[in-house]
Amino acid sequence: MSSPSSTVTPALKAEILAEALPYIRRFSHKTIVVKYGGNAMTDPHLKDCFARDVVLLKLVGLNPVVVHGGGPQIENLLARVGKKGEFVQGMRVTDAETMDVVEMVLGGQVNKEIVHLINQNGGKAIGLTGKDANFIRARKLLIQKKDAPLGDVIDIGHVGEIIQIDPSPIALLDQGDFIPVIAPIGAGEAGETYNINADVVAGKLAEVLKAEKLVLLTNTPGVLDKAGNLLTGITPVQIDEMVADGTLSGGMLPKISSALEAARNGVKSVHIIDGRVEHSLLLEILTDHGVGTMIRSD
């Protein structure tokens, strides 16, 4: 069976490259933070596509920084030890045993697999967690109960909120032409380990690095309205309305919140895109045809 690329004529290839040139010039030496998750990191072909996209972005002069999740892999290991994952407002409840599993999966298995895939495709990736050089400092996250008095909170265990990110380790890696691959685990003041939502880490990191773009890969075409139609552009007011009427809920809540905060705090463009589309990263960054939702700050 021939690959899709074998049916592309030389003339069309040249046209595609010419279309990419203005974007390469525009984003040269700019930082692009990518949250990698969903089907894109479980389907073997999509994993390979993603790794090649990241390597290509680096080779043409951009500085990609990858922040990854690992929900399905965590669920698999939890099931093997007889535990079931539980979520509150899109955040994983993380007791001590679950934290051990999270750290093992994110900091070990998933992180090293992504690093290997990128290196196998010609890149120079280095894996980190937020505990390396304590570059992601965190404290316990307490979640405000819905429709309850202020201060009536839920303790979901070893889940962290970010206090501070030190950008210097990432800057050093970028200067050395390395591609940082970051597991969303933070360090507490007394050496505690915290599980942090990967969308939140990606958003805050994009702010701190003054990224040109924040791109969040998902298992949907982007942000959908109540009828299931893709919204290619969306504003904070629309998002508030969609949260209030239940259109946006669960795992989409931290994603949307992080995207909005990044857009309001200096990240020039924020995109929620369909990670199930081959080469979605390149389509979003280097072509005229977007594949998801752009978050506008106003």
Side-chain angles (χ1 to χ4, degrees), residues 70-87:
Q73 295 89 338
I74 292 168
E75 288 300 314
N76 287 341
L77 189 50
L78 284 174
R80 281 163 57 186
V81 299
K83 292 181 71 72
K84 182 173 174 57
E86 182 186 348
F87 292 83

Side-chain angles (χ1 to χ4, degrees), residues 79-145:
R80 281 163 57 186
V81 299
K83 292 181 71 72
K84 182 173 174 57
E86 182 186 348
F87 292 83
V88 174
Q89 296 180 32
M91 299 291 188
R92 181 183 295 279
V93 177
T94 310
D95 60 17
E97 187 179 21
T98 301
M99 187 66 241
D100 289 341
V101 169
V102 167
E103 188 165 19
M104 188 186 312
V105 171
L106 294 183
Q109 174 195 339
V110 174
N111 190 272
K112 299 315 169 194
E113 182 187 18
I114 298 167
V115 167
H116 172 69
L117 274 171
I118 291 173
N119 292 344
Q120 203 173 34
N121 281 279
K124 296 195 301 180
I126 290 183
L128 301 169
T129 78
K131 292 173 70 177
D132 290 304
N134 285 342
F135 93 93
I136 301 178
R137 303 302 296 266
R139 65 184 168 217
K140 179 187 278 286
L141 172 67
L142 296 172
I143 294 181
Q144 172 68 37
K145 288 183 181 176

